Amino acid sequence: MIKYIPKEFKTILNKYRFIDSWFWCRYSINPYNGCEFACAYCDSRSHKYHLQPEFDHLIYVKNNVGAMLDDRLRRARTLLPDVAAIGGTCDAYQPAEESYANTRQCLEVLLRYHYPVIISTKSTLTLRDLDILSRIAEDSWCAIGVTITTLDRKLAGFLEPRAPSPEKRLNVVKEIKEACPEIQAGVNFIPIVPFLGDDERNMEEVVADTKMAGADFILFGGGMTLRDNQASWFMRRLSEELPHLVEEYEELYQAKYTLAEGYRGRYEPGKSYLKRIHRKMLELCKKYQLAFRIKRYIPEDFRKQNYLVAQKLLDESYLCQMLGRPWTKTFWAGQNINNLGESIEDIARRGELRTIRNIDASIEAYVLNLLGNEGEQ
Ligand code: SF4
């Protein structure tokens, strides 16, 4: 039985020092602690999130989230409107939302303060809020990523036991795009689950059906992570339902799993595996002409050029990462430009681009070229 417990929390808005360069968010908001969808691979079970062990059947409903968020944004002297991700360690539209509407309360406040929003979800309840999501999209920016790891119902029943079926999720993308084209909507093909979702047939089906649904993007990348408690949970479920795969996982993750001692091993598959998956996905995105990056929010203040330039660098570093090429220098250059407290155009005019961390001669030339071709960006 699922228990919902209303609870006071001290904070509601979390600010990242560096943006999440896949989802473009600066802030995160978790309206609930815990997630009823109970995905077997859910990373939120790992110790680093400090969530309750009964995470999938004891859901803490955060009290007064709307008032808390309003208070935080009203008093903020140093915060600038930027993308807020709702959910992360929980699904913003899990069943609790139907009764408590914490996500909706947050959306109302974010709209009032002109904050753009991104939501990753597996829920059809998202459609309830199309009115406000559409107003946010028109006011600033809004993106919805619906997570799909397989279109096979039976497999989804093992991986995501309490989430709506993959067909229903695809339909969410379709309905959003039909009703509100101003909202960017797509599929988060995350994680690509080894030996279950990484065969070429599944990958192609997910990409093809995402395209058919009218999606703007499909996100993928990185291997499925296996960390401490989350890894032990996943491996236990695997040993119960698909025991023949335990050894395969042990080999891929160079790990050892026993019920008594849990999981000990790497937290992600090796590089050659990742490279193969990523290359295949890039090939499929090309074949189906589907973007694998979300178009980011661009503010109209002094950050405008910084964000445009950072987007180019972060897009480039993502592609290099997927292809197994060096990417960290470009990534950090993008992040540092994104965080500048003044316009990069002013810095370039003073000839001081090289004072920005991680900008070397080649990135400086690249940035100058971008700024010179401003009209074409
Ligand atoms: S929907 Fe997301 S947060 Fe919820 S259990 Fe699944 S992976 Fe975890």
Side-chain angles (χ1 to χ4, degrees):
M1 203 181 76
I2 315 289
K3 253 193 184 169
Y4 301 122
I5 302 189
K7 194 174 169 187
E8 297 295 324
F9 280 80
K10 284 198 182 120
T11 54
I12 184 67
L13 186 75
N14 178 37
K15 182 181 176 190
Y16 301 140
R17 193 163 156 229
F18 295 101
I19 56 159
D20 181 315
S21 65
W22 289 15
F23 298 95
W24 300 115
C25 50
R26 166 71 71 189
Y27 305 102
S28 70
I29 295 170
N30 281 294
Y32 304 94
N33 253 19
C35 186
E36 191 173 334
F37 286 154
C39 304
Y41 51 72
C42 181
D43 188 40
S44 305
R45 292 181 204 281
S46 109
H47 296 318
K48 70 176 186 162
Y49 297 108
H50 309 289
L51 296 181
Q52 60 279 14
E54 319 86 332
F55 155 86
D56 60 22
H57 57 275
L58 175 64
I59 314 294
Y60 289 119
V61 179
K62 298 189 179 178
N63 281 341
N64 304 316
V65 289
M68 275 173 76
L69 186 58
D70 187 281
D71 192 52
R72 176 77 177 96
L73 297 183
R74 189 164 25 85
R75 289 155 174 265
R77 301 222 171 135
T78 54
L79 299 187
L80 288 169
D82 209 335
V83 179
I86 309 187
T89 59
C90 70
D91 193 307
Y93 285 108
Q94 60 180 297
E97 173 63 16
E98 211 162 343
S99 329
Y100 295 96
N102 273 8
T103 295
R104 175 125 195 145
Q105 286 181 48
C106 293
L107 290 174
E108 281 163 2
V109 177
L110 292 167
L111 174 61
R112 214 158 41 241
Y113 289 89
H114 309 291
Y115 275 58
V117 167
I118 188 163
I119 297 179
S120 298
T121 181
K122 294 188 173 93
S123 177
T124 51
L125 189 57
T126 315
L127 298 173
R128 180 199 68 185
D129 285 349
L130 282 191
D131 59 335
I132 189 161
L133 292 167
S134 154
R135 274 156 58 211
I136 291 172
E138 274 165 5
D139 182 66
S140 57
W141 181 95
C142 180
I144 307 290
V146 176
T147 303
I148 293 176
T149 57
T150 174
L151 294 167
D152 179 327
R153 262 187 168 206
K154 194 163 165 236
L155 179 56
F158 165 67
L159 292 172
E160 299 139 355
R162 298 198 210 117
S165 69
E167 300 96 293
K168 285 188 177 161
R169 288 181 236 163
L170 259 185
N171 212 38
V172 169
V173 177
K174 195 162 172 259
E175 287 197 31
I176 294 175
K177 287 315 298 178
E178 280 171 7
C180 309
E182 62 281 9
I183 298 174
Q184 278 190 82
V187 163
N188 299 340
F189 189 8
I190 299 173
I192 296 181
V193 184
F195 311 112
L196 294 172
D198 64 352
D199 58 289
E200 297 200 356
R201 197 172 130 213
N202 183 56
M203 289 199 279
E204 180 142 10
E205 266 175 19
V206 173
V207 176
D209 285 20
T210 299
K211 179 71 183 180
M212 285 275 287
D216 295 305
F217 60 83
I218 185 163
L219 289 192
F220 66 90
M224 187 181 85
T225 53
L226 285 178
R227 280 195 192 91
D228 51 72
N229 199 37
Q230 170 236 359
S232 297
W233 176 272
F234 179 80
M235 292 301 282
R236 184 165 75 78
R237 293 289 298 121
L238 201 68
S239 65
E240 287 164 358
E241 303 277 335
L242 301 161
H244 61 286
L245 288 181
V246 170
E247 248 181 62
E248 307 240 35
Y249 269 81
E250 287 181 330
E251 197 178 323
L252 183 65
Y253 285 80
Q254 294 175 16
K256 193 77 206 141
Y257 169 75
T258 60
L259 187 57
E261 291 186 33
Y263 176 90
R264 279 168 297 127
R266 296 165 56 144
Y267 82 98
E268 66 171 359
K271 281 194 178 127
S272 61
Y273 170 86
L274 292 177
K275 215 160 135 180
R276 181 171 64 76
I277 299 294
H278 294 154
R279 279 181 190 263
K280 183 68 200 169
M281 281 303 297
L282 290 171
E283 196 186 300
L284 289 169
C285 287
K286 193 170 174 198
K287 177 172 171 186
Y288 289 91
Q289 300 192 334
L290 198 51
F292 48 85
R293 298 280 288 164
I294 302 175
K295 275 193 202 135
R296 79 176 301 190
Y297 158 71
I298 304 291
E300 283 302 323
D301 54 31
F302 76 90
R303 296 171 294 171
K304 184 172 181 176
Q305 285 305 325
N306 306 355
Y307 276 37
L308 285 166
V309 171
Q311 170 165 300
K312 295 267 187 203
L313 290 167
L314 292 169
D315 283 352
E316 177 66 22
S317 80
Y318 168 85
L319 192 57
C320 289
Q321 194 181 358
M322 293 303 109
L323 292 169
R325 296 182 187 146
W327 56 276
T328 50
K329 192 178 71 178
T330 319
F331 174 83
W332 286 112
Q335 287 285 6
N336 289 321
I337 289 172
N338 200 77
N339 277 359
L340 289 172
E342 63 175 323
S343 169
I344 194 165
E345 288 173 305
D346 294 340
I347 300 175
R349 236 174 262 128
R350 298 197 301 270
E352 292 174 359
L353 283 177
R354 297 288 292 278
T355 61
I356 302 170
R357 284 188 78 182
N358 302 96
I359 297 221
D360 60 11
S362 66
I363 295 181
E364 180 188 35
Y366 181 76
V367 171
L368 284 172
N369 185 43
L370 285 178
L371 293 175
N373 294 315
E374 193 180 311
E376 291 167 25
Q377 284 166 24

